[in-house]
Structure formats: C-alpha cells, structure tokens
Amino acid sequence: MSSYRGVIVSDPWLQSQFTQVELRTLKSKFISVRTQHGRVTRDDLPPVFAGMKAFSEMFSEDEIKTFLGESNSDMDEEIDFEAFLRLYLDLQGRAVEKSGGSRSSFLKATTTTFHHAINESEKASYVAHINNYLAEDKFLKDFLPIDPATNALFDLAKDGVLLCKLINVAVPGTIDERAINTKKVLNPWERNENHTLCLNSAKAIGCTVVNIGTQDLVEARPHLVLGLISQIIKIQLLADLNLKKTPQLVELVDDSQEVEELLSLAPEKVLLKWMNFHLKKAGYQKQVTNFSTDLKDGEAYAHLLNALAPEHSTHSTLDAKDPTERANKVLEMAEKLDCKRYLTPKDIVEGSPNLNLAFVAQIFHHRNGLTDSKTTTFAEMMTDDAETSREERCFRFWMNSLGATTYVNNVFEDVRNGYVMLEIVDKIFPGTVNWKQANKPPIKMPFKQVENCNQVIQIGRDLNFSLVNVAGNDIVAGNKKLIIAFLWQLMRFSMLQLLKNLRTHSQGKEITDADILNWANNRVKKAGRTSQMESFKDKSLSSGIFFLELLSAVEPRVVNWGLVTKGETDEDKKLNATYIISVARKLGCSIFLLPEDVIEVNQKMMLTLTASIMYWSLQQQESASDEGEISDEISAEGRKNETGLSGETSDLAVDSESSKTEE
C-alpha cells in the first residue's frame, strides 16, 4: 500500500496554514511549473494563480502580477516551494479582504484554512455526545469518558478508531467493524488505513471532506477533527428529519404541492418548519428563522416545550426576566423529557447555532408531537422502489462528495432548477459550463429553470451521452427515470475519464466497460485465483468472492480471509458484501453503494466498484513509476512487475471479443 507520508514544510507555522490535501495540490502545481520551465519564478505564477478557482473570480491575471511585484523582488528570481506557499497565502489574504471577511460556518465549511479557532463549548458538547453514545463500545470503553478540558479527544482520534465508530453511531452499518484496525498500538500503515476508511465512509454518509487528508487526521489537527465530528453528529441528529423516516411530518403541510416543497428542504429547514408548526399552534406570534438570534431569549423554547409536554408545563419559565435564568429553566424542563444537556444556558443566550440546532433535534427525537392522521395519504405518494431509492442515495452522496457549492438533499427535487447539475458538470469537466447563460437560484420563472436544464442536456450531448428525445423540460418536471439515467452517464463518464487520464496505462485511448472487466479478470487470474466474472450482471458476483479476490490481488494484506464466508446463504452474502465495501474504502476507493447492491448484482454499482478498485490500483502504479519508489512491503521483483517494467504490456490490454457488457 502506498505511503501516507505527507508534504513536509520546514516552517511549522507555514505547514499549519494548510491541510495535507491543499499542500499536495499546491505541490503538484509547483512541480508542474518547474517541469515546464526548468525552475519557478514569480513571473511564472500569475497564470497559475489566476487559474485557481479561489482567485479566478477575484482577480485578473494582470492584478495578480501587480501584487506579486509589489515587494520589489526580482520577478525573474527563482523561488522555492515555501516561497510559493507564502505568495499563495498573501494572495489568499487579499482575496479574503476583498470578499469582506472569512468563511465561518463551522458545520459546513469544516476544512477552511481561514478560520482555525476552536469553540470550546462545542467541543465539550461533542465530547459529551461521544461519551454518551460510545460508553459501552468494547474497544473504546477503556478510553472513555473523555475529559473535554484536555486534548484527550484529539489524542484518541489519531488512530482513526473513534471516528469510524462515530460514523457507525450516526448511520449504523456504514462500516463493517471487522475492517477497523483496533489494536491498542497501531503502526503507521494501520492508522492510515483507519483514516482512509473513515474519510471514504464519511463521504458515503454525506459529509463534505473535500479538503481533509489522512495526514491531517493522523496529526489530529483540531479544527479539522472537530469539523468532521460536527458533521457526523449533525447527520445523526437530523437523520429522521425526512418524510421517509418520519412520515408524520406530512402534518406540517396542507397539499401535495407543499409536500413536494417539504421533500426538497434541507433537514435543518424541516426542523425549523416543525418548530414553527408547534409554536403557531401554541399561540406564539414570532417566526423562528434561525438557530441563533431567534432563540437567544429562550421564549420560543419555553412555548415549544409547554406545547409538547403539557404534563411538565409551567409559567415560571416565561415569567423569568433574566434570559440566562429562563434558559436554565428551559434546560431543566428538557431534561424531564430525557434530552441530554449538551448545551448550557450561556450557549442559548449567546445564540450558538450548532448547539441550538442539536438541542432542537433532540427535542424532536424525544417528543415530536405529530400524529398519523395524514400518513396514509402520503404513503400513496411515495412510489419509489427500493432500487430507485438506493440509486438516488448513491448519486446524492456522490454529487455532494465533489464539493459543489449547493448541497443536495434530494436528487429528484434539487436538480430540477438545473443549477446544481451545472455545478456538478463544471466540477467534473471545468470550463464546459457557460456561466454567463446560467441562472442562479432562487429561480422563480420556470423558463429560467428550463434554460439551465437545456444547457445541461446540451453538454451531455456534446459528451456523446445517450439522450434521445430528452429535453431540459424533463429534468424540470422531475422525471426520475431520465434524471437517474443522466446522472449515471455522468458518473460513468467521469470514472472512465479518470482512468483514461492515467497516462502510463491508458496511453491516451478511450477506456470502455470491457477494459475494466478484462482488467479485473486478469488481476484475479494473475493472483492465482479461479474466480472470473462474465459481465457486470453476472449473478455469481452476489457471493462477493470475486471482489474479495480482486481486492486481495491489488493489495494482498487488505483482506482477512478468516472473516470471509462462502457466500452461499443470504446472511453470508450480506456479511461478505458489507466487508467488501469497507475493505475497498479502507484501501482508498471512494464508493457509494450499499451491500444490497452487491447481493442483488446491481449492474451500475458493480461497474463503479470495479472501476474504483482499478483506478486505485493503477494510481499506485503510476505514483510509484513517477516517484521511483513504492511500499517497502513489495519486493524489488514485485516493484518491477507492478509498474510494468518487466516488458509486459499493461493490465489494461483489451481483447475486445473476449467479453462485452451491456451499458
């Protein structure tokens, strides 16, 4: 397995200003300039910085050149990587100043290098949450409870076990815990595997981890660790804030059109809608629009709890004149509903948005005050089959993993204005979207939505997608079948392009499904195994044995065969499928399928799984070839074979007649 060693900068302060992902990206750009020009000077940098999204919308190339020349330094003087980083930071500071401040949303912008302050109150709340939910964990109970006043949280997070366990608390079953390395003392490889498993699993439940690398977690950088923990806990607390999990939420709306709007709302918006629903019934006149300033005086909480728990109702809370006293009474009343006190009266009075959101979510879980009066009518509207629901989930998390500005809560609703589709396309194929012709939300005029969707469809046609008789109107109308078909082609094309861009192995030619199939079969065969798959619909894949043999072929140490079943019964198949997904993520594959997709042999998901393993494997070979190094665990002869230096052709060699797959 490839080394996790990060980019090292000699100046500790300079190193602390960047995540490892940012350092690797900037190092790559620096090396690219040096390779092109033989050295790097200030004069080379304006087009490099102007091409970065962080600066492209802020400064022109000429402005950047002016900034770089302000220090009276020779523009033709050679600079090293650290000087390059300092110039980047200087320009970043100018960008922040020009934009009028810094990004500050802790739950959403968790990886920014602009804001590294730690909120001790939030830290204490997250520690209390961890102590509560993981107290009985067989491995972690020896390390709990954590003292929030110390750095014990960050020390415990360094081996990756805590974060993996927390993900399973948020979304049970996400990680097969057999794949977690849980020794008391882990070596660097095992620690890195846990963090890789954590990050890929976090993406698979909807966390935004675009700017976090495994080295950042190994170092337990506080703002990144807390940011990731806050996202995981938020996902747990808001998991039931949707109509599928809590159909009683339909009581909040009056007609089918409002149901559609409810489906498209982010969970926190649904929570606000629920809160205002009960406050209105209780006669509270104000509208709560946020989890901060609108809750500072504690009045909304007092009315909400009186309405939801009349048996504990009291006027003393509202009669309290001091906001802190009222906040304390609110928390005392909430404790009677068994809501854990994860925030303090001070947090309410100061309007902590994250902790207030968590508190309201807890109240919802313990006493939502909704009835089943409308759920039968609503159930008739929910016509998605299990496979469509799983595919929607897969595409939603895949789209969110790309780091677009718009967060997708419901694919079928959120893509209808076309804008998020344009964002996703631009992330995958930068420069293909004509933003001058794009209409930014909120979009009230339907024809503006159609314009966005028409551009999406046209880009798809330019990429040779199969879009016969498909128009922008179909997306605006929410045609689920066509939306899924388009997104699948987009995901598939993205995967094939990634494989094609591995120059050593594709040699610039187009990659096909058959190439991926043949590569997988060849790798398994070369490893001395007998399993083969005839197509991505091959029913024998449901046992999971082929994929475990493929994973073992690309990295022998990653599969513990003592945990593998024969895959003959339904239970054994599920055990293998769950293990496959976690092992692949532990290896470094970014995948979004579920065990059911393996068991039922979902053709699309089988292709994405195989392609992800192939991409990871070839990426390691390319990295080893470029850097002239590879893992110490592979022998010199193994290096020769793995990088194709033995004179053999690439594993990507294709016998086009040997196997063909249906798209």
Side-chain angles (χ1 to χ4, degrees):
M1 197 172 293
S2 63
S3 169
Y4 71 90
R5 185 180 65 231
V7 177
I8 304 300
V9 179
S10 62
D11 182 342
W13 177 86
L14 189 59
Q15 174 109 21
S16 72
Q17 301 306 300
F18 301 91
T19 67
Q20 274 297 318
V21 172
E22 290 168 333
L23 283 172
R24 287 196 295 272
T25 301
L26 292 170
K27 183 81 170 182
S28 175
K29 292 185 180 298
F30 180 82
I31 291 173
S32 177
V33 175
R34 191 175 64 192
T35 302
Q36 184 177 356
H37 300 287
R39 61 183 191 139
V40 180
T41 68
R42 287 172 178 252
D43 205 38
D44 297 322
L45 300 185
V48 177
F49 288 150
M52 296 181 182
K53 191 167 184 180
F55 305 134
S56 61
E57 297 177 1
M58 289 283 184
F59 308 117
S60 67
E61 189 174 321
D62 287 340
E63 286 177 311
I64 293 173
K65 187 170 185 177
T66 300
F67 295 150
L68 294 177
E70 285 179 354
S71 63
N72 295 321
S73 298
D74 183 357
M75 291 291 285
D76 196 45
E77 182 182 348
E78 185 174 359
I79 62 172
D80 60 13
F81 180 56
E82 293 195 12
F84 174 80
L85 292 178
R86 293 180 190 282
L87 291 171
Y88 177 89
L89 282 178
D90 179 62
L91 194 58
Q92 187 183 67
R94 292 174 186 266
V96 173
E97 187 178 343
K98 186 174 181 180
S99 65
S102 65
R103 292 174 283 177
S104 60
S105 174
F106 194 70
L107 276 172
K108 190 170 182 181
T110 58
T111 60
T112 173
T113 54
F114 293 139
H115 181 65
H116 289 179
I118 299 301
N119 185 311
E120 291 296 335
S121 187
E122 288 186 2
K123 175 188 169 187
S125 175
Y126 302 150
V127 165
H129 184 94
I130 290 167
N131 287 339
N132 180 43
Y133 280 92
L134 290 171
E136 301 303 318
D137 183 85
K138 290 180 180 179
F139 178 79
L140 290 175
K141 65 182 180 181
D142 292 341
F143 304 94
L144 301 179
I146 299 168
D147 182 354
T150 69
N151 284 325
L153 172 63
F154 306 118
D155 293 336
L156 187 54
K158 286 181 179 179
D159 67 7
V161 177
L162 173 66
L163 295 173
C164 286
K165 297 275 189 177
L166 195 59
I167 286 171
N168 268 359
V169 169
V171 184
T174 298
I175 296 176
D176 186 333
E177 297 203 0
R178 298 175 299 170
I180 305 173
N181 299 316
T182 53
K183 295 188 304 186
K184 293 287 185 182
V185 179
L186 300 179
N187 64 42
W189 298 108
E190 293 165 332
R191 192 180 299 120
N192 186 58
E193 285 178 338
N194 281 350
H195 289 310
T196 303
L197 173 59
C198 163
L199 288 176
N200 283 317
S201 299
K203 281 194 285 186
I205 66 170
C207 293
T208 302
V209 296
V210 175
N211 241 8
I212 308 177
T214 55
Q215 184 66 16
D216 298 312
L217 298 183
V218 168
E219 296 172 4
R221 301 182 70 176
H223 70 290
L224 294 178
V225 171
L226 276 186
L228 182 55
I229 288 173
S230 74
Q231 288 191 80
I232 296 169
I233 291 176
K234 181 184 177 184
I235 286 169
Q236 176 189 345
L237 294 176
L238 300 181
D240 293 339
L241 266 298
N242 60 75
L243 286 168
K244 285 186 178 179
K245 292 284 185 71
T246 311
Q248 295 86 353
L249 285 167
V250 75
E251 189 178 348
L252 307 183
V253 298
D254 295 322
D255 54 44
S256 59
Q257 184 176 351
E258 288 189 354
V259 170
E260 288 186 4
E261 292 174 1
L262 191 62
L263 281 168
S264 66
L265 286 180
E268 48 266 53
K269 296 292 186 183
V270 176
L271 194 60
L272 282 174
K273 194 174 184 70
W274 166 80
M275 190 176 189
N276 283 312
F277 172 78
H278 284 298
L279 289 174
K280 184 177 180 181
K281 285 175 64 176
Y284 187 65
Q285 300 299 315
K286 299 176 184 177
Q287 183 89 353
V288 177
T289 61
N290 58 65
F291 293 103
S292 182
T293 55
D294 289 356
L295 299 176
K296 282 184 174 183
D297 60 13
E299 289 186 5
Y301 277 135
H303 283 283
L304 178 66
L305 291 170
N306 282 341
L308 293 175
E311 71 275 22
H312 301 303
S313 178
T314 172
H315 288 290
S316 64
T317 306
L318 286 168
D319 291 340
K321 302 300 181 183
D322 178 56
T324 301
E325 181 187 353
R326 185 183 299 127
N328 193 49
K329 289 181 178 295
V330 163
L331 294 177
E332 288 175 356
M333 189 173 178
E335 282 191 334
K336 294 177 182 178
L337 299 181
D338 202 28
C339 292
K340 299 295 181 183
R341 187 180 281 206
Y342 289 157
L343 80 171
T344 65
K346 182 182 177 184
D347 297 324
I348 293 177
V349 173
E350 291 183 351
S352 171
N354 295 326
L355 298 184
N356 274 314
L357 182 147
F359 183 50
V360 177
Q362 281 195 322
I363 296 172
F364 174 86
H365 285 299
H366 286 88
R367 188 77 64 93
N368 65 37
L370 301 174
T371 66
D372 294 321
S373 59
K374 293 185 180 180
T375 53
T376 304
T377 304
F378 170 71
E380 296 171 358
M381 299 172 62
M382 299 294 285
T383 57
D384 290 355
D385 58 38
E387 184 173 333
T388 300
S389 295
R390 289 204 306 270
E391 289 187 341
E392 186 277 335
R393 173 192 177 280
C394 169
F395 290 125
R396 173 167 28 104
F397 291 149
W398 169 68
M399 292 165 78
N400 287 332
S401 76
L402 299 174
T405 303
T406 305
Y407 190 88
V408 179
N409 294 291
N410 181 301
V411 169
F412 300 131
E413 295 299 322
D414 293 354
V415 303
R416 291 173 63 177
N417 65 21
Y419 193 81
V420 69
M421 293 280 257
L422 290 172
E423 285 188 293
I424 298 303
V425 169
D426 191 58
K427 282 287 182 182
I428 298 171
F429 312 109
T432 55
V433 175
N434 185 340
W435 289 110
K436 291 181 179 179
Q437 294 181 3
N439 302 293
K440 194 171 184 177
I443 307 172
K444 295 184 179 180
M445 303 299 291
F447 77 90
K448 294 288 186 181
Q449 298 179 353
V450 174
E451 286 179 355
N452 282 351
C453 293
N454 280 341
Q455 186 178 175
V456 170
I457 296 299
Q458 185 55 52
I459 292 171
R461 290 203 171 100
D462 293 341
L463 296 173
N464 294 320
F465 288 4
S466 176
L467 296 168
V468 180
N469 296 324
V470 178
N473 257 327
D474 295 308
I475 297 177
V476 176
N479 187 313
K480 295 180 180 179
K481 184 177 180 181
L482 292 178
I483 289 170
I484 287 290
F486 184 90
L487 287 173
W488 163 241
Q489 291 184 82
L490 189 61
M491 176 188 271
R492 177 177 171 275
F493 192 86
S494 172
M495 289 186 308
L496 297 181
Q497 286 299 112
L498 285 172
L499 289 168
K500 179 184 175 182
N501 290 340
L502 291 172
R503 62 187 185 281
T504 304
H505 305 277
S506 71
Q507 298 170 347
K509 74 179 185 65
E510 297 298 327
I511 306 298
T512 67
D513 295 3
D515 294 343
I516 299 169
L517 182 76
N518 288 336
W519 173 87
N521 281 330
N522 287 340
R523 286 309 302 255
V524 171
K525 185 177 180 180
K526 285 182 179 180
R529 303 283 184 172
T530 57
S531 295
Q532 296 282 280
M533 64 171 164
E534 294 181 1
S535 73
F536 295 110
K537 296 190 296 182
D538 190 335
K539 292 301 180 184
S540 69
L541 296 176
S542 67
S543 72
I545 299 299
F546 177 83
F547 287 114
L548 288 164
E549 292 187 345
L550 177 59
L551 287 163
S552 180
V554 299
E555 179 47 70
R557 64 189 295 277
V558 80
V559 175
N560 181 347
W561 287 100
L563 302 175
V564 177
T565 74
K566 293 182 179 179
E568 294 174 348
T569 67
D570 289 345
E571 184 179 350
D572 284 352
K573 287 179 179 178
K574 185 160 188 178
L575 284 170
N576 282 354
T578 305
Y579 189 54
I580 287 165
I581 293 170
S582 289
V583 168
R585 287 176 180 154
K586 180 178 179 177
L587 194 66
C589 300
S590 182
I591 50 177
F592 303 92
L593 72 166
L594 290 171
E596 291 79 4
D597 294 314
V598 178
I599 297 167
E600 297 173 16
V601 192
N602 181 311
Q603 183 182 0
K604 297 172 187 172
M605 297 302 111
M606 296 304 91
L607 173 57
T608 61
L609 175 59
T610 311
S612 295
I613 297 170
M614 178 181 179
Y615 180 68
W616 181 87
S617 177
L618 297 184
Q619 204 176 29
Q620 306 315 300
Q621 296 177 34
E622 179 132 318
S623 176
S625 177
D626 285 347
E627 298 175 15
E629 61 181 29
I630 201 166
S631 165
D632 292 336
E633 295 174 54
I634 300 176
S635 66
E637 183 62 25
R639 282 203 304 273
K640 183 178 174 183
N641 292 334
E642 285 292 313
T643 53
L645 298 178
S646 61
E648 296 179 6
T649 57
S650 163
D651 282 335
L652 204 53
V654 181
D655 176 1
S656 60
E657 297 300 319
S658 63
S659 68
K660 296 180 180 178
T661 59
E662 295 182 24
E663 295 184 8

